Amino acid sequence: MIRFDRFVVVDWSGGNDTGPKPRKDAIWLCEHGAEPEYLRNRVVAEDRLRALIDDAQALGQRLLIGFDFPFGYPAGFARALTGQDDPFAVWDWVERNLDDTPKGNNRFALADRINAQFSGVGPFWFNALKQDFTHLPRKDTRTGHGMSEHRACDAMAKGAFTCWQMGGAGAVGGQVFTGLAVLNRLRSEMQVAVWPFQKLDAPVAFVEIWPGLINSSVKSAEALGGIRDAHQVRLLARALSALPPARLAEMLDVNAPEEGWILGLGFEDELNAAAGLRPPPLRNDCFALPAGVDWTPVDDALAMLRDRLHTVVGQQDVALTDARGRVLAADLLAKRANPPHPNTAVDGYGFAHAAMADGDNVLPLVQGRSAAGVPYDGKVPEGHAIRVLTGADLPDGVDTVVLDEDCTADGAQVAFRGGLRRGANTRKAGEDMAVGQVAIPAGTKLRPPELALAASVGHGTVPVFERLRVAVLSTGDELVEAGAQAGAGQIYDANRPMLCSLAEAWGYEAVDMGRAPDDRDALRAILDDAATKADVILTSGGASAGDEDHMSALLREAGAMQEWRIALKPGRPLALGMWNGVPVFGLPGNPVAAFVCSLIFARPAMSALSGAGWVTPEGFDVPAAFTKRKKPGRREYLRARLRNGKAEVFASEGSGRVSGLSWAEGLVELGDEAADIAEGDLVRFIPYGSFGL
Ligand code: AMP
Ligand code: MG
């Protein structure tokens, strides 16, 4: 199997040099891992390609270069032009006959010359020059030339242009001529094999690619700004380099000896996934604690997590109907103003404010009306009024509306009191959102109101982060599945249903990894599996330093364990580590501690990983309905609920008391310092709702 070391993608252009300033529709080149390069003309581009090929050969590397123009014409063309079926005969012909400079070329004359060899009119068309050509029609009036419009592969490439069109928006005819001439020179001078016409046994392979295959990825990237062509070459180079070699080999395995083929056709989903805007992985030491730290205060622990965690998921486009709960990946700009046109906010009569008298007004009505979706397209003369219905565009000549209830009308006239202000009962164009305004900022979790807003400013799909995948695993020999037979010494696994549903409540995809026995090898195998299936792993149990605390032992063994001894009750040490590049939150086994640690630590951390940024729960101060004396040096969370405006706390602070979690409707947070709380003292209550539940 061929393995390439380097991947380069080129977005070619048949256009003329327009200067040194990078712009779209020029030549762009990107090697995977480097920045896109703007190449201002074809002479510069040819030199750059030659240098790249030289460099790869000198280093003994295998280089794949993709070009975004057809390497062949529809079947039969090669023979008609050159008398042979060989596509290279066409390449040679084009190279021999094309005169190309950065400021212009003879491509139209060439198309004219070729057309002359065909019966009828065509197959080439379009002429951008003043000069007329006998055989090159300006409009598509071609007939009887006997060539088919598309190659076999073009039929599968929705939106691809035909090689016959020599100019006009999106046309590729000129690109093919100018591109083939350059490639033909390079292939004859250097060790290059051209796919799919030749066996790829040379160090360098030229392949045909088409950015349209990764359109959705390009659009997501474009939403963040920058030049489209630059995104195209960068993302395609990344996608090709990210494909498993066996998969790439499969894509290269086509038989199209004359027409050529677009690499990756039919593999669009895979290419898009490979192009996916994946952020860099987390740093391996992201959970490292400063040396010598013993007990870490909760706020310090949170600040460290906040500092070191970032988005780990890629991006995708989803339809609005599927977007609830997803996190917006790029600022959503209003494509259209809301409202798009001034309209009336009520049912009533519209007129020009300038003609209104202070006292009683009696205005003649024009025939017709303006209704929502059915605007009146005439002009309403000053001094006249027109029937308008809520949501209707204001007709020309109308800037003010009087409410139905404030007037009498008989079909011919409308009477009402003056004194309305100009613009009364109307909505201005763009008063809600102007075109180009940021309607929803990146990082917003999309709720029903955001879906309404996105729709009203013209978006049917939105760029979102891929859903964070959260693997959930319980550990302990004593655990059995809820509902199963429990023997002596066994208890039901309460944490998994709780943690899976927490993940789902927060909008993530829960990946249930089941239960692991207190056995290091079994646990290791499950962690390996979880790391391939999820972006973050939540485990519970075995997180301390005891004999059977395999979770912490394993993470330590992998060199990635950090035992965060957080000054928090309930919550024994939290084990944090990286397993095969995936962050692991080793939560305490006690359900109460596991729950509290999830709300306090896992929730903001996972929010940061998901693209939604760090979150801090809102609480408020209420009088206590309890008394409590608390030691200094640690934060405490009590299961609590509000009754009669006061915070009650659960009778027992025992961390095995699951019923207290259910009894509660939130947590009372007691600060790190000592406290002696009497009834009526203010305490901070954070409702479950503030934790996104
Ligand atoms: P560990 O952290 O493994 O020492 O567990 C602490 C306590 O939590 C022990 O009493 C365990 O039996 C209990 N425990 C651990 N995991 C779970 C679970 N998934 N469901 C219910 N209790 C658990
Ligand atoms: Mg255990």
Side-chain angles (χ1 to χ4, degrees):
M1 191 170 49
I2 320 156
R3 280 173 192 273
F4 291 95
D5 306 300
R6 299 168 66 174
F7 295 84
V8 170
V9 169
V10 181
D11 188 322
W12 196 251
S13 167
N16 294 337
D17 189 337
T18 58
K21 187 169 172 298
R23 59 167 187 98
K24 69 180 179 70
D25 296 333
I27 303 175
W28 284 87
L29 176 150
C30 187
E31 168 154 15
H32 172 62
E35 289 296 307
E37 300 167 38
Y38 165 72
L39 303 171
R40 57 183 286 182
N41 65 50
R42 289 178 291 280
V43 174
V44 174
E46 187 170 337
D47 286 347
R48 180 74 184 98
L49 286 166
R50 201 169 267 121
L52 261 173
I53 296 169
D54 270 340
D55 185 49
Q57 281 178 3
L59 295 169
Q61 293 165 326
R62 302 218 51 189
L63 169 65
L64 179 142
I65 312 182
F67 297 89
D68 71 332
F69 53 82
F71 284 5
Y73 285 87
F77 177 76
R79 175 158 293 275
L81 180 69
T82 68
Q84 306 171 48
D85 295 326
D86 180 3
F88 290 136
V90 176
W91 289 37
D92 289 338
W93 192 96
V94 171
E95 191 203 328
R96 255 196 331 272
N97 292 289
L98 182 81
D99 295 325
D100 190 12
T101 72
K103 286 291 177 201
N105 57 60
N106 65 342
R107 66 177 186 270
F108 296 108
L110 222 56
D112 175 67
R113 241 176 87 193
I114 298 174
N115 272 1
Q117 297 192 27
F118 283 82
S119 55
V121 183
F124 289 99
W125 69 282
F126 198 100
N127 175 7
L129 304 180
K130 281 213 185 68
Q131 178 195 351
D132 281 320
F133 291 100
T134 323
H135 304 285
L136 184 66
R138 289 187 181 275
K139 296 253 158 63
D140 187 4
T141 53
R142 301 167 300 158
T143 135
H145 54 72
M147 290 291 111
S148 84
E149 192 57 13
H150 294 284
R151 301 177 296 162
C153 64
D154 297 329
M156 283 171 69
K158 231 173 54 191
F161 266 73
T162 99
C163 51
W164 304 126
Q165 189 180 335
M166 292 304 298
V172 296
Q175 276 193 57
V176 188
F177 280 179
T178 55
L180 291 186
V182 169
L183 298 201
N184 203 48
R185 264 194 298 280
L186 294 174
R187 84 174 182 96
S188 41
E189 286 169 25
M190 313 180 89
Q191 294 180 50
V192 173
V194 179
W195 177 84
F197 309 139
Q198 294 176 307
K199 212 164 134 35
L200 297 185
D201 49 10
V204 178
F206 285 172
V207 304
E208 177 184 338
I209 48 92
W210 184 50
L213 298 185
I214 57 157
N215 211 17
S216 59
S217 305
V218 171
K219 270 169 56 189
S220 306
E222 250 188 311
L224 300 165
I227 294 175
R228 181 181 176 80
D229 312 54
H231 287 306
Q232 288 179 331
V233 290
R234 182 175 54 84
L235 292 176
L236 248 184
R238 169 155 69 186
L240 292 172
S241 73
L243 289 170
R247 219 49 194 143
L248 180 58
E250 237 173 281
M251 293 183 191
L252 287 167
D253 184 19
V254 304
N255 179 29
E258 182 184 347
E259 294 190 337
W261 194 261
I262 296 167
L263 182 65
L265 204 56
F267 295 84
E268 287 81 352
D269 286 348
E270 217 159 317
L271 279 172
N272 272 298
L277 298 171
R278 290 217 147 258
L282 292 177
R283 295 164 51 99
N284 241 336
D285 62 353
C286 68
F287 295 130
L289 287 173
V293 166
D294 190 13
W295 286 93
T296 310
V298 172
D299 285 340
D300 293 4
L302 289 174
M304 269 188 280
L305 287 177
R306 181 178 192 156
D307 236 35
R308 298 169 186 183
L309 298 180
H310 62 72
T311 309
V312 295
V313 285
Q315 301 180 14
Q316 61 180 151
D317 283 327
V318 298
L320 269 193
T321 43
D322 299 323
R324 191 179 75 88
R326 304 298 296 272
V327 179
L328 194 64
D331 284 351
L332 203 68
L333 307 185
K335 282 190 186 169
R336 192 172 189 231
N338 183 45
H341 192 266
N343 67 24
T344 169
V346 299
D347 287 351
Y349 294 86
F351 54 91
H353 188 262
M356 189 179 67
D358 286 342
D360 289 346
N361 286 263
V362 180
L363 303 185
L365 287 172
V366 300
Q367 281 293 314
R369 60 173 203 173
S370 187
V374 195
Y376 177 80
D377 51 16
K379 183 176 160 64
V380 177
E382 199 167 294
H384 286 61
I386 183 172
R387 178 75 176 139
V388 293
L389 299 176
T390 306
D393 286 356
L394 296 185
D396 233 15
V398 171
D399 60 13
T400 304
V401 172
V402 55
L403 196 65
D404 256 355
E405 289 84 329
D406 294 337
C407 52
T408 49
D410 63 4
Q413 291 181 309
V414 59
F416 59 92
R417 284 262 154 76
L420 289 134
R421 63 177 172 80
R422 185 193 169 92
N425 299 313
T426 68
R427 307 166 176 144
K428 287 197 234 2
E431 69 175 21
D432 184 33
M433 276 286 151
V435 174
Q437 202 177 333
V438 175
I440 311 173
T444 304
K445 192 166 269 189
L446 300 172
R447 307 164 305 165
E450 282 77 36
L451 302 186
L453 180 53
S456 65
V457 295
H459 293 273
T461 59
V462 283
V464 296
F465 287 111
E466 284 164 353
R467 215 187 275 281
L468 188 78
R469 297 163 306 164
V470 181
V472 176
L473 168 68
S474 291
T475 69
D477 283 337
E478 73 278 32
L479 302 178
V480 288
E481 195 72 10
Q485 271 296 331
Q490 295 188 310
I491 59 166
Y492 292 116
D493 177 2
N495 288 345
R496 235 168 75 242
M498 176 176 77
L499 295 174
C500 283
S501 71
L502 276 178
E504 276 163 9
W506 291 329
Y508 310 134
E509 183 188 326
V511 182
D512 188 349
M513 300 303 298
R515 286 169 286 113
D518 286 321
D519 171 274
R520 212 162 288 186
D521 291 331
L523 191 53
R524 187 182 289 117
I526 297 179
L527 286 178
D528 282 345
D529 190 25
T532 67
K533 292 178 172 156
D535 306 301
V536 55
I537 303 171
L538 296 186
T539 71
S540 67
S544 295
D547 292 350
E548 294 296 339
D549 288 323
H550 299 287
M551 202 55 231
S552 43
L554 261 184
L555 289 177
R556 199 176 299 115
E557 184 186 299
M561 156 72 175
Q562 290 292 331
E563 202 171 322
W564 284 39
R565 287 150 51 90
I566 296 163
L568 170 73
K569 182 186 170 191
R572 291 187 313 173
L574 191 61
L576 296 177
M578 298 291 287
W579 191 268
N580 297 344
V582 174
V584 183
F585 281 77
L587 301 164
N590 270 311
V592 174
F595 183 75
V596 170
C597 280
S598 296
L599 300 196
I600 304 301
F601 294 104
R603 173 173 177 260
M606 293 199 297
S607 180
L609 299 174
S610 77
W614 192 259
V615 283
T616 308
E618 277 297 329
F620 44 91
D621 291 344
V622 292
F626 62 94
T627 60
K628 178 173 167 69
R629 175 162 292 178
K630 170 188 169 298
K631 284 191 290 198
R634 72 175 183 201
R635 175 82 51 95
E636 286 191 28
Y637 289 96
L638 309 176
R639 283 148 280 178
R641 65 185 193 184
L642 288 186
R643 288 295 180 270
N644 304 315
K646 291 188 178 149
E648 301 178 345
V649 295
F650 191 58
S652 162
E653 289 185 18
S655 71
R657 301 283 289 266
V658 187
S659 67
L661 287 179
S662 165
W663 173 93
E665 291 161 4
L667 301 175
V668 156
E669 181 184 65
L670 303 179
D672 299 355
E673 61 290 350
D676 196 354
I677 296 158
E679 265 189 53
D681 287 353
L682 290 182
V683 290
R684 189 151 197 79
F685 178 74
I686 309 173
Y688 282 166
S690 287
F691 292 106
L693 300 181

